[in-house]
Amino acid sequence: MNILYGVQGTGNGHITRARVLAEALSRRSDIQVDYLFSGREPQQYFDMQIFDEYQTKQGMTFVTHKGRVDRWQTARQLKLRQLIDDVQQLPMGDYDLVINDFEPISAWAAQLRHVPSISISHQACFLSPVPNIGKGMLDNLLLRYFAPTTYNLGVHWYHFGQSILPPFVTDVSQPVAPSGRILVYLPFEELNEIGALLRQFPEQGFDVFHPHLTSDTQQDNIHWYVPCKNAFKHCLQASDGVIGNAGFELSSECLHLGKKLLLKPLHGQFEQLSNVVTLEKMGRCQTMQRLDASAVRRWLTFDSVEPVRFPAKADLLVEWILDENWQDSRELCDALWQQVSFPPDVKQKLAGI
């Protein structure tokens, strides 16, 4: 089977999910996969070895400013003519299937060439009745038409009675000595504002990763890191907790490792606001609507939580893809949820949703 896998490159969550599926796909000799990424500059991708000779396109991304989606600037920077040309010029003749994670070029190219396509993404779960907040008419249009596919397979922390997959969390469970430090990943916030917040807690060490950094530096109680998969993984495993935006993949890893979470959702993005709603229902996060020292001070006193164990390997998903019965995912979803282990308190809370 020849597959084109299109991945949204804005943020690192889509790429993290793609790495897990790429590893499972690479173990099959009867599958050939090409990868296409869009949504960020080519030089900003890192640790991409698993994808071999991937290609990049400009695509479309959302512009943020001071922790909020800037829809006006998003519209201004959209190069619609380039996007249309990329869709029309993308070769599709040899592909049997397109797998898509909210990537518009491969999705629209598949639609126009009548190549079957499957969305395997967190965004796809919001096409089903799951907890959400702040989803307006524009959000509904984006969900349906930004990267449309023939079939949709959503990914979430709970199935809510729908055909939804659990997340795959891999490569994060090796034992690491606890550091007592806090991991901070707030890529949509300003560096000076992050520093001003964290310097109010001189007795607490922080490891901060941010895409605007160009080198690793140490300043008082803060260690600043450029994005790096291995360094991030080590700091995450050793940390006492995580302060972040409300992205899906990092929150999944924190649930899996039993890390306490303090989340500042990206304003203007209903997906992150909805993620907070679900995590609060599960009793697995605290939130702040701005970079709030009092919220950080209170959260630092909290204990760690029991982990939610998610599947580590995507081999069952690959088998389902090869079976080509893509309109029926119930058996696959049931099998994967049997691999999920919820602590008793989370089970009780989910039963009430």
Side-chain angles (χ1 to χ4, degrees), residues 31-325:
I31 301 176
Q32 172 63 44
V33 187
D34 295 328
Y35 295 92
L36 184 152
F37 296 83
S38 74
R40 73 169 77 175
E41 295 299 320
Q43 67 272 15
Q44 293 179 347
Y45 292 98
F46 59 93
D47 295 317
M48 301 288 282
Q49 298 87 344
I50 187 68
F51 305 114
D52 200 16
E53 296 181 7
Y54 62 93
Q55 59 178 313
T56 63
K57 301 288 184 182
Q58 180 172 338
M60 176 180 172
T61 189
F62 295 93
V63 177
T64 63
H65 179 65
K66 293 188 174 181
R68 180 179 295 273
V69 174
D70 189 328
R71 296 192 173 185
W72 169 244
Q73 290 298 328
T74 296
R76 285 191 63 189
Q77 62 84 42
L78 174 62
K79 296 182 179 179
L80 187 58
R81 181 70 258 175
Q82 182 65 56
L83 183 65
I84 293 171
D85 288 346
D86 286 340
V87 169
Q88 292 177 338
Q89 295 169 13
L90 187 64
M92 298 295 292
D94 293 334
Y95 294 120
D96 304 300
L97 175 68
V98 170
I99 299 174
N100 189 275
D101 194 334
F102 213 53
E103 195 290 306
I105 296 171
S106 58
W108 276 105
Q111 291 287 298
L112 294 175
R113 308 315 203 288
H114 305 291
V115 177
S117 55
I118 307 171
S119 172
I120 302 175
S121 69
H122 182 51
Q123 283 75 17
C125 79
F126 292 106
L127 295 170
S128 300
V130 302
N132 69 82
I133 187 172
K135 185 169 70 169
M137 182 175 67
L138 179 59
D139 298 307
N140 280 314
L141 290 172
L142 283 171
L143 286 173
R144 294 190 178 279
Y145 299 113
F146 181 84
T149 53
T150 317
Y151 307 99
N152 293 290
L153 198 52
V155 184
H156 212 332
W157 301 306
Y158 188 59
H159 53 73
F160 303 103
Q162 307 298 315
S163 292
I164 289 173
L165 298 178
F168 298 100
V169 180
T170 187
D171 203 26
V172 295
S173 56
Q174 296 85 355
V176 172
S179 66
R181 300 175 66 83
I182 298 298
L183 173 67
V184 180
Y185 184 59
L186 293 164
F188 305 112
E189 311 300 326
E190 301 299 315
L191 283 168
N192 63 323
E193 295 181 4
I194 296 172
L197 172 69
L198 302 182
R199 281 191 287 272
Q200 296 181 57
F201 305 93
E203 303 304 317
Q204 175 63 58
F206 296 95
D207 295 318
V208 182
F209 289 77
H210 200 284
H212 293 168
L213 292 168
T214 57
S215 62
D216 296 350
T217 57
Q218 177 80 43
Q219 295 178 342
D220 301 321
N221 61 324
I222 306 171
H223 197 151
W224 302 91
Y225 289 92
V226 299
C228 172
K229 175 176 173 284
N230 289 334
F232 188 92
K233 178 183 71 173
H234 177 83
C235 291
L236 172 61
Q237 292 174 250
S239 72
D240 278 1
V242 173
I243 300 174
N245 295 119
F248 181 74
E249 288 300 324
L250 177 56
S251 297
S252 299
E253 292 177 344
C254 292
L255 289 174
H256 187 78
L257 292 170
K259 304 294 182 181
K260 63 182 181 180
L261 273 168
L262 176 59
L263 300 179
K264 191 268 180 189
L266 175 62
H267 293 291
Q269 190 185 75
F270 92 93
E271 176 202 338
Q272 291 212 1
L273 297 171
S274 300
N275 287 345
V276 165
V277 168
T278 298
L279 288 169
E280 287 180 335
K281 289 178 181 293
M282 296 171 67
R284 284 301 181 268
C285 82
Q286 303 296 316
T287 60
M288 55 182 177
Q289 297 305 313
R290 56 185 177 83
L291 298 182
D292 184 350
S294 62
V296 174
R297 185 173 294 107
R298 183 170 58 253
W299 174 79
L300 286 172
T301 66
F302 294 166
D303 295 328
S304 296
V305 294
E306 285 191 70
V308 178
R309 296 297 187 188
F310 294 112
K313 296 184 182 297
D315 298 277
L316 282 178
L317 176 56
V318 171
E319 290 289 347
W320 176 82
I321 291 169
L322 284 172
D323 285 344
E324 299 189 32
N325 186 23

